[in-house]
């Protein structure tokens, strides 16, 4: 008999990735796909002088990857992206190498790993299934990215905190809110679609 509450809970998908069949092969493919999506959206890069950090689609990818894959797989996917960029041109504007990690954008990239884990953990607790909580989860993940990013930016540039906060955070607020709104719309819609397929 497998009709116990524990068995029912174990079978219930925690995040969108769990809707797909398979385990190890599925997880490996999804982790790679998450890193690839981040690399793709990193090429959407808009400079905002005088900031040395461009606006990119990376933080949107981090939120989507973390929420859909969950904490462990999401963080692993971002770690793979960060490591791949040491050798392959997958960072913003096709850049790569250790100098990017130690440069103005390096802190943000490190922050991707932690942010993906946090939003993944929130998604595992159903935060991505409603518009309001999905939006708040995206905002929380982006704040984590900015926290790491600001430290890295200050260390790389050596400017004071006023300059660092303005050029590493304040000018990105509107873009961050837009990305949160996209995530708040996409994730609950994906869940509704997934439930439809489960009933078919």
């Amino acid at each position: 008999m497998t009709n116990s509450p524990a068995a029912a809970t174990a079978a219930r998908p925690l995040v969108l990735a769990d809707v797909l069949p398979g385990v190890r092969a599925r997880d490996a493919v999804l982790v790679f796909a998450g890193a690839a999506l981040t690399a793709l959206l990193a090429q959407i890069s808009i400079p905002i002088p005088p900031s040395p950090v461009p606006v990119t689609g990376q933080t949107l990818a981090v939120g989507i990857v973390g929420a859909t894959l969950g904490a462990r797989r999401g963080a692993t996917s971002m770690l793979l992206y960060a490591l791949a960029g040491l050798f392959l041109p997958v960072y913003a504007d096709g850049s790569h190498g250790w100098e990017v990690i130690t440069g103005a954008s390096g802190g943000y990239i490190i922050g991707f790993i932690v942010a993906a884990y946090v939003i993944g953990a929130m998604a595992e607790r159903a935060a991505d299934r409603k518009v309001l909580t999905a939006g708040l989860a995206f905002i929380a993940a982006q704040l984590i990215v900015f926290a790491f990013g600001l430290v890295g930016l200050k260390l790389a540039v050596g400017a004071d905190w006023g300059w660092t906060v303005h050029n590493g955070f304040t000018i990105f607020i509107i873009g961050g809110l837009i990305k949160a709104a996209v995530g708040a719309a996409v994730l609950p819609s994906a869940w509704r679609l997934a439930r439809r397929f489960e009933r078919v």
Side-chain angles (χ1 to χ4, degrees):
M1 296 290 290
T2 58
N3 293 326
S4 68
T9 301
R12 188 180 303 130
L14 291 177
V15 292
L16 283 163
D18 295 326
V19 175
L20 300 175
V23 181
R24 291 185 181 179
R26 174 200 66 190
D27 288 354
V29 169
L30 290 175
V31 164
F32 178 83
L37 175 65
T38 309
L40 179 65
L41 292 188
Q43 306 319 309
I44 301 173
S45 179
I46 304 171
I48 306 182
S51 174
V53 181
V55 171
T56 73
Q58 287 168 300
T59 49
L60 176 61
V62 171
I64 291 173
V65 171
T68 54
L69 301 192
R72 181 179 57 82
R73 290 171 297 202
T76 302
S77 186
M78 290 304 101
L79 177 60
L80 176 61
Y81 169 73
L83 293 175
L86 297 177
F87 309 98
L88 302 172
V90 296
Y91 295 149
D93 295 318
S95 60
H96 72 285
W98 185 250
E99 61 273 15
V100 178
I101 297 296
T102 57
S105 298
Y108 298 89
I109 295 172
I110 301 302
F112 294 167
I113 302 168
V114 180
Y117 185 91
V118 171
I119 194 172
M122 295 175 74
E124 289 169 3
R125 292 162 177 77
D128 61 334
R129 305 191 190 195
K130 294 181 180 179
V131 171
L132 177 59
T133 52
L136 291 175
F138 259 79
I139 290 172
Q142 291 186 82
L143 288 175
I144 291 170
V145 172
F146 281 119
F148 278 84
L150 288 174
V151 173
L153 179 59
K154 180 168 175 55
L155 290 174
V157 177
D160 60 54
W161 276 112
W163 184 95
T164 301
V165 171
H166 176 72
N167 289 285
F169 173 67
T170 306
I171 61 176
F172 299 106
I173 289 176
I174 294 177
L177 291 174
I178 292 172
K179 293 171 189 176
V182 171
V186 168
L187 291 174
S189 299
W191 268 113
R192 286 193 292 272
L193 184 62
R195 290 190 191 104
R196 237 180 247 177
F197 277 109
E198 281 186 323
R199 289 195 294 266
V200 173

